[in-house]
Amino acid sequence: MGKKLLARLLLRLTRAIAGRKSAPRGLASGSGRPDGAGLSPDLEANIEGIVQAFGGSGDLVVRRLRAGRSGSVSAAVVHLEGLVDKDLVAQCIIRPVTLMTENLASPSEVLDRLCDALLSVTVVDQIADAHEVALAVAEGLCVVLIDSARTALACAVQGWAQRSPEEPTTEATVRGPKEGFVESLRINTSMLRRRIADPRLHIEERRLGRVTRTLVAMAYVQGIARPSVIQEVRSRLDKVDVDSIQESGQLEELIMDAPLSPFPTIARSERPDRIVGALLDGRIAIIVDGTPFVLIMPATFMMYLTTSEDYFELFYSGTLIRFTRLLALTLSLLLPSVYIAVTTFHQEMLPTPLILSIAAQREGIPFPAFFEALIMEIMFELVREAGIRLPRVIGPAISIVGVLVLGDAAIRAGLVSPIMVIVVAATGIASLGTPEFSLAISIRLLRFVFLAAAASLGFFGIAVGVLALYAHLTALESFGVPYMSPIAPVIDSELKDTMVRAPWWAMKQRPRSLVWYNDTRLGQGSSGKDGDGER
Amino acid sequence: MTITHKTTARQLGSVLFLLRVATMTLTLPSVIGMPSSQGLWLAGIVGTVISLPLLAWMVTLSRAEGLDDVVRISRRLLGPIGGSTVGWLFVLYWLILAAFELRYISEAYLTGTMPETPIVVFMALTALVSAGIARRGIRLIAMMAELIAFLVLISLLLTMVLPLDVVRLRNLLPVFPEGLQPLILPTATAVPLFLDMVVLMMIAPSMTSGVGLMQGTVWSALVSGAVLTLLIVVVTAVFGPISTALELPALSLTRMISIGGAVERLELITVVSIGLALATVLWAAATASAHLLGLRCFEPLVYPLGGLAVFLGIRMWPDVGNFDKSTTAISGGLVTSLFILAVLAVLTAARWLRRRAGGGGDSGRRGETE
């Protein structure tokens, strides 16, 4: 029943898009095939056309049937194996067609009878265009062709193997829902619908990718998200002209504001609760079929330092965790460069015993501190990368052995000093404290830039680098919203949810920079046991 | 969007605060070379109080001219030749200010930690980054200034609070050992520091309102004045009689802080704040030049002007001795003050004459109506 409902929804939305856009299903524009060629009245010719369109693919199933009294009507059911639910096809399509015993005069009567009374699937669409029929088959629909009829019936009976929702691996939390998005767009939209049981949650679907024709859904809450931002997202999606969309990351690069910036201006998440939070803040989500990573826009820098868990724990812990993350981000960016600056140019900064200890450890090291740091950082990156690529069973073991053996051997060989190993290890740990992987990668990249700046100009180089970085971040925008807001520019009302996570009862308004007219998040009487809204 | 693309009062206040406070508080020119320092805090207060009406004068003129920038106002009121002359003088003034800022921050690093590095490296790198910021316009500078001004303020307060263990309040006594007359010179030194905020007359067109222009200006003057005064008090209380002999009193103060030695590096934030101040000045010079040259956009001028500032910064002060003298010389401040006051007086007079002649002196009241 659920599958039927989902399939029906899919087909209705496809129809709605087809009605709104000149190129429904994305078939016309990039396929290179002529549109508008109608079906032939000859059943065999139509079957042959579909078979030819698929190049005689082995997974194309053509089931010829006889219907009507004494089998007077020839019909065929066409679908792709693996994309349809076989039981549904057998029970809801083949069986009613073969059991149809009326002696109907014309093919259109046969079609109407099948469509209106016999086919027990939730969504049945009539298609007259030959190419569209082929596309419908490619999308996983089951097509019923009737001899002498110039229209085919496309039945939504999709059903293929898919992963069940599991806890997201990249965004694990201690507290909060343990459900993550999966590769199926329809399951993902249903997760959002379950959490926002309101018709104002609008989901607009379209197919992107001339060849892959990937289903992409744009979700927002009407009345909360700004119409200008919605329109901007729509127009950027409309401009996408690419042959394939296999992952949301590809789409992200095609529609982001500053494609040359190392910083992501579109956030992503595989947690439905995070997406729901973003939607209710006035943001827009883009779900791409085939990936559990959902895009969120507009994105701000602070979004990358927050997790949904911050909102589920008490605000004290939420705030503390955020400060810890900011510290981790700063350390992962600057710790090695500060070490280089101190040991190379600003030794007077450290207490004498400490600088003597460092000097003693560095005695005999053949490289300057910069090269020492560079070698260790590169080794660390290699071990980390190898740890990700190795099979899960042996990955952690190899990583630990690699780090221990390499680190120890490097110290014993006199190539690096123990303090450098500590600095690099601390930096590595800190970089893992950044919740968003895409931001962590950018920081890793910039760390090398800061290393070079510190090695050449000490603290001056770091300071100039920080200034340039801050200027770059402040200049960035995500769909018209300043990337560093609400810090630059300062938006007082939104500071309650930046580094400090204010209690829920104090966050009465949604972010003003994002929402349209409906900016009230918390009503009166929702603030504690007194229920008087006063604090 | 509710996020305005205009400059708010707080952003203007932050820009002006950064423009002056970093150099002003680190060099404390009011302190250097004075016979005694016990009563110098009064010079800080009086300097601020004198500056306020002068700044209000700038704001009032801008508001009366429809929040237009000073170059356009000059050309409108003084005609193409007179107005252009004033405009180019402002460009030169901002270039010299940029050169000074560049030289100052570079000298601080050169003498402090990296004596072997050629000074041009520091100057060129700072100019490059600042010009990059200036090229993005006043909106970016204003947005960046809010957070940086807050951090600078916090770091300055930390600088003043952390050396509490070495503060000797008796160093502040007697309050006026030689009477009030010796305070005239430091007061006169403090006023031009505030007059450098004349850049507000270039920022005015981007303001949300005329009221905001006034609020931001007054806020920045008061906060800068308070920081200046407090710093004089703390430096005097910590160093006593030798405070007037210190070249960089505020930096010397940070070296009295003993939290792991790390707080000494508050100069990190100084580089950031001076970089932003430099960006403001370069933006003003580039925008004014673009107006004067009849260009539609100022962006192409920013990097050449940054290069010119580097050149001036090297050529104007052949050695560090010359530069040190210029930081304490009253003459430079006097020229600055006279130039700005003369321009304000001439523009006000021209406006008055024009109104009397019925020439439509009210060229716009945008700021007043908002």
Side-chain angles (χ1 to χ4, degrees), chain B residues 68-85:
Chain B
D68 218 342
D69 67 55
V70 68
V71 177
R72 286 200 176 113
I73 294 173
S74 303
R75 293 181 94 175
R76 192 160 55 232
L77 295 177
L78 305 178
I81 296 172
S84 297
T85 308

Side-chain angles (χ1 to χ4, degrees), chain A residues 12-25:
Chain A
R12 279 200 174 169
L13 284 165
T14 313
R15 264 195 237 162
I17 292 166
R20 191 158 43 82
K21 295 186 59 159
S22 58
R25 301 164 187 269

Side-chain angles (χ1 to χ4, degrees), chain A residues 161-451:
Chain A
Q162 51 201 17
R163 186 167 64 90
S164 303
E166 294 165 4
E167 185 174 5
T169 49
T170 56
E171 290 175 89
T173 56
V174 177
R175 184 170 179 177
K178 302 292 179 190
E179 191 179 50
F181 285 124
V182 293
E183 285 73 14
S184 162
L185 179 135
R186 192 53 60 221
I187 294 178
N188 293 345
T189 55
S190 72
M191 285 186 198
L192 296 181
R193 286 270 179 218
R194 271 199 292 123
R195 284 169 172 80
I196 305 178
D198 192 305
R200 282 177 295 175
L201 171 62
H202 290 197
I203 299 177
E204 294 177 11
E205 293 187 352
R206 67 187 69 211
R207 288 193 178 269
L208 293 178
R210 290 191 302 267
V211 179
T212 58
R213 300 178 61 248
T214 312
L215 198 59
V216 173
M218 171 184 157
Y220 58 90
V221 180
Q222 184 75 35
I224 294 180
R226 279 184 176 277
S228 57
V229 178
I230 297 170
Q231 191 49 46
E232 180 63 27
V233 176
R234 261 191 214 128
S235 79
R236 290 194 197 183
L237 287 176
D238 286 342
K239 285 176 193 160
V240 172
D241 182 20
V242 66
D243 59 353
S244 77
I245 298 284
Q246 296 185 59
E247 215 281 335
S248 52
Q250 286 173 290
L251 188 59
E252 180 186 342
E253 271 198 55
L254 292 169
I255 61 170
M256 69 191 291
D257 282 78
L260 293 178
S261 171
F263 288 91
T265 50
I266 294 177
R268 68 193 80 163
S269 177
E270 49 177 334
R271 294 187 65 89
D273 51 327
R274 187 152 189 237
I275 299 298
V276 167
L279 290 173
L280 294 179
D281 275 349
R283 298 179 208 274
I284 294 165
I286 290 185
I287 310 157
V288 177
D289 196 29
T291 176
F293 290 96
V294 174
L295 304 177
I296 311 168
M297 62 215 64
T300 55
F301 184 77
M302 287 311 300
M303 276 182 73
Y304 296 94
L305 294 180
T306 59
T307 65
S308 46
E309 195 176 16
D310 302 352
Y311 300 98
F312 302 145
E313 294 289 352
L314 284 177
F315 65 95
Y316 299 112
S317 5
T319 303
L320 178 69
I321 292 167
R322 286 186 184 184
F323 272 100
T324 312
R325 286 193 205 114
L326 183 67
L327 178 68
L329 185 84
T330 313
L331 287 178
S332 68
L333 180 67
L334 294 178
L335 186 59
S337 47
V338 167
Y339 172 77
I340 300 291
V342 168
T343 52
T344 313
F345 298 104
H346 312 286
Q347 294 90 344
E348 78 285 354
M349 270 185 70
L350 297 178
T352 311
L354 181 56
I355 196 69
L356 286 176
S357 167
I358 292 173
Q361 288 176 32
R362 294 211 69 246
E363 197 178 0
I365 305 292
F367 305 115
F370 170 63
F371 277 108
E372 201 187 344
L374 202 61
I375 290 168
M376 285 306 290
E377 282 291 342
I378 291 171
M379 289 308 295
F380 189 87
E381 293 297 331
L382 285 176
V383 170
R384 176 152 48 187
E385 193 59 22
I388 295 169
R389 306 284 161 236
L390 282 167
R392 280 194 183 176
V393 186
I394 58 167
I398 294 287
S399 299
I400 293 164
V401 170
V403 169
L404 287 177
V405 171
L406 277 177
D408 188 53
I411 293 168
R412 282 171 189 275
L415 294 175
V416 292
S417 57
I419 185 87
M420 181 55 80
V421 175
I422 295 171
V423 168
V424 172
T427 308
I429 292 166
S431 70
L432 296 173
T434 310
E436 187 86 24
F437 185 65
S438 51
L439 181 66
I441 292 177
S442 309
I443 296 296
R444 275 157 65 183
L445 189 74
L446 289 172
R447 191 187 305 147
F448 289 98
V449 178
F450 274 94
L451 267 179

Side-chain angles (χ1 to χ4, degrees), chain A residues 498-527:
Chain A
T498 47
M499 285 321 300
V500 174
R501 203 281 275 170
W504 271 110
W505 45 260
M507 293 194 286
K508 292 186 194 304
Q509 258 78 43
R510 303 181 209 281
R512 278 177 48 219
S513 52
L514 296 169
V515 297
W516 191 25
Y517 61 85
N518 183 1
D519 67 344
T520 306
R521 180 189 271 149
L522 197 77
Q524 292 296 318
S526 319
S527 48

Side-chain angles (χ1 to χ4, degrees), chain A residues 348-349 460 475 490 492 512, chain B residues 2 10 126 136 146 265:
Chain A
E348 78 285 354
M349 270 185 70
F460 181 82
V490 173
D492 298 336
R512 278 177 48 219
Chain B
T2 52
R10 186 165 54 194
T126 313
R136 300 291 194 107
E146 274 181 296
R265 296 302 149 182

Side-chain angles (χ1 to χ4, degrees), chain B:
Chain B
M1 294 285 151
T2 52
I3 296 174
T4 174
H5 284 241
K6 293 272 185 177
T7 307
T8 62
R10 186 165 54 194
Q11 288 173 342
L12 173 76
S14 305
V15 170
L16 297 180
F17 172 73
L18 287 178
L19 186 68
R20 280 296 72 202
V21 84
T23 326
M24 183 166 79
T25 50
L26 283 175
T27 55
L28 277 186
S30 313
V31 174
I32 300 166
M34 295 298 127
S36 64
S37 57
Q38 289 96 325
L40 285 176
W41 53 268
L42 189 64
I45 295 173
V46 175
T48 310
V49 170
I50 292 173
S51 305
L52 276 173
L54 299 176
L55 292 171
W57 188 5
M58 297 175 195
V59 173
T60 308
L61 191 60
S62 281
R63 290 176 70 176
E65 287 296 318
L67 289 182
D68 218 342
D69 67 55
V70 68
V71 177
R72 286 200 176 113
I73 294 173
S74 303
R75 293 181 94 175
R76 192 160 55 232
L77 295 177
L78 305 178
I81 296 172
S84 297
T85 308
V86 169
W88 284 119
L89 283 173
F90 265 114
V91 171
L92 182 67
Y93 161 65
W94 281 317
L95 271 178
I96 293 172
L97 197 60
F100 178 81
E101 302 265 7
L102 274 174
R103 185 64 184 257
Y104 167 74
I105 191 70
S106 306
E107 283 293 348
Y109 264 92
L110 198 69
T111 53
T113 52
M114 302 168 77
E116 290 172 7
T117 310
I119 194 164
V120 70
V121 173
F122 295 111
M123 294 178 75
L125 198 59
T126 313
L128 186 71
V129 174
S130 295
I133 297 169
R135 200 174 62 83
R136 300 291 194 107
I138 192 64
R139 183 170 182 250
L140 177 65
I141 296 171
M143 288 200 298
M144 290 177 72
E146 274 181 296
L147 178 66
I148 293 177
F150 175 73
L151 293 176
V152 167
L153 199 56
I154 295 291
S155 65
L156 284 170
L157 290 175
L158 277 176
T159 310
M160 289 185 267
V161 169
L162 288 174
L164 269 184
D165 53 332
V166 286
V167 164
R168 303 283 177 268
L169 287 177
R170 63 172 175 274
N171 285 337
L172 294 169
L173 296 173
V175 180
F176 302 116
E178 291 147 1
L180 293 174
Q181 200 173 358
L183 296 178
I184 294 172
L185 192 60
T187 305
T189 317
V191 174
L193 294 172
F194 289 97
L195 292 187
D196 284 346
M197 291 180 183
V198 71
V199 76
L200 72 92
M201 293 186 79
M202 285 304 291
I203 302 174
S206 73
M207 288 300 296
T208 48
S209 69
V211 177
L213 185 66
M214 182 64 90
Q215 284 174 343
T217 307
V218 171
W219 180 90
S220 62
L222 287 177
V223 175
S224 306
V227 169
L228 177 71
T229 308
L230 275 174
L231 206 55
I232 293 173
V233 170
V234 176
V235 165
T236 308
V238 170
F239 296 107
I242 63 161
S243 56
T244 55
L246 296 169
E247 278 192 12
L248 296 168
L251 272 184
S252 306
L253 193 63
T254 61
R255 289 173 197 276
M256 304 301 289
I257 301 165
S258 57
I259 301 179
V263 184
E264 276 183 33
R265 296 302 149 182
L266 285 175
E267 66 207 50
L268 193 84
I269 195 75
T270 310
V271 175
V272 174
S273 60
I274 287 185
L276 207 58
L278 185 65
T280 311
V281 176
L282 283 176
W283 168 82
T287 309
S289 306
H291 289 342
L292 292 164
L293 294 170
L295 300 176
R296 280 186 189 171
C297 52
F298 68 92
E299 288 88 346
L301 298 175
V302 175
Y303 284 111
L305 286 174
L308 198 56
V310 174
F311 176 77
L312 286 176
I314 294 168
R315 299 294 294 183
M316 280 180 71
W317 302 284
D319 55 51
V320 67
N322 285 7
F323 183 71
D324 282 346
K325 275 183 198 165
S326 74
T327 59
T328 56
I330 185 76
S331 55
L334 198 65
V335 171
T336 305
S337 303
L338 285 177
F339 165 61
I340 292 169
L341 291 176
V343 168
L344 288 176
V346 168
L347 291 179
T348 309
R351 183 178 150 71
W352 182 74
L353 286 173
R354 193 177 257 216
R355 284 186 73 184
R356 250 191 112 186
D362 269 335
S363 15
R365 308 285 291 180
R366 183 165 66 94
E368 303 295 340
T369 54
E370 283 176 339

